[in-house]
Amino acid sequence: MNAWTTARHIGALTLAMLLSACATTGPASSTAVDPSTEFALEVTDRPALRRFEVRLVSTSQRPLCVPIEAWPDINGRFTEEMLDVHVQIPGERVDIAPAFRSVYCPGGCGHRTVAPGATLDAFIAYEAFADADKVASSAERVLHYPLLVHACK
């Protein structure tokens, strides 16, 4: 086996490992839940911290699953573009900033599980939006965050 063949094998193996590292079985279920009966999403604006704190409160009798890409990361941002998430300020809608990173996970990137009666906490930074200073300087701001939650299997 020559060096070129060995390098090709190593490259193919590396690519296979990278693709499978994110591959999961996908969402635990495609069964959407009713937000009026199975969970509540609480949003608290924290202007001094330049962020919205979000809390999913399960009122369900079954475990709930939130896709990882639909929940903010530890930096208050999303791993994928969330086109429906925006802040409404007087006379204007401020969208999430375009994601310059993108994650592709065949079948989905997994999910966060919320046990019956439990909570899931995170925050969305003002800096996640296209004009963070406009969001911060507005006297009024409302976060629109249509969260898709599914029943876990």
Side-chain angles (χ1 to χ4, degrees), residues 47-66:
L49 300 173
R50 293 178 58 105
R51 68 188 197 185
F52 296 97
E53 292 178 353
V54 292
R55 169 178 275 187
L56 182 136
V57 180
S58 171
T59 54
S60 181
Q61 298 301 310
R62 56 189 176 166
L64 302 178
C65 287
V66 179

Side-chain angles (χ1 to χ4, degrees), residues 25-145:
T25 57
S29 169
S30 61
T31 307
V33 298
D34 181 359
S36 67
T37 60
E38 297 197 67
F39 75 92
L41 182 65
E42 299 172 356
V43 177
T44 305
D45 187 8
R46 300 283 187 212
L49 300 173
R50 293 178 58 105
R51 68 188 197 185
F52 296 97
E53 292 178 353
V54 292
R55 169 178 275 187
L56 182 136
V57 180
S58 171
T59 54
S60 181
Q61 298 301 310
R62 56 189 176 166
L64 302 178
C65 287
V66 179
I68 287 175
E69 57 271 21
W71 192 250
D73 64 19
I74 61 171
N75 298 311
R77 298 175 183 269
F78 295 95
T79 56
E80 290 186 4
E81 282 191 66
M82 299 295 293
L83 300 176
D84 293 333
V85 178
H86 66 276
V87 173
Q88 187 67 48
I89 60 175
E92 190 173 350
R93 170 184 163 141
V94 182
D95 291 316
I96 287 282
F100 293 110
R101 62 187 191 274
S102 183
V103 176
Y104 174 69
C105 302
C109 294
H111 60 272
R112 297 186 190 282
T113 303
V114 184
T119 61
L120 181 63
D121 293 298
F123 70 92
I124 302 172
Y126 289 1
E127 283 68 26
F129 295 92
D131 194 337
D133 290 333
K134 189 176 282 188
V135 171
S137 65
S138 178
E140 297 176 36
R141 63 187 82 69
V142 177
L143 174 68
H144 292 268
Y145 179 28

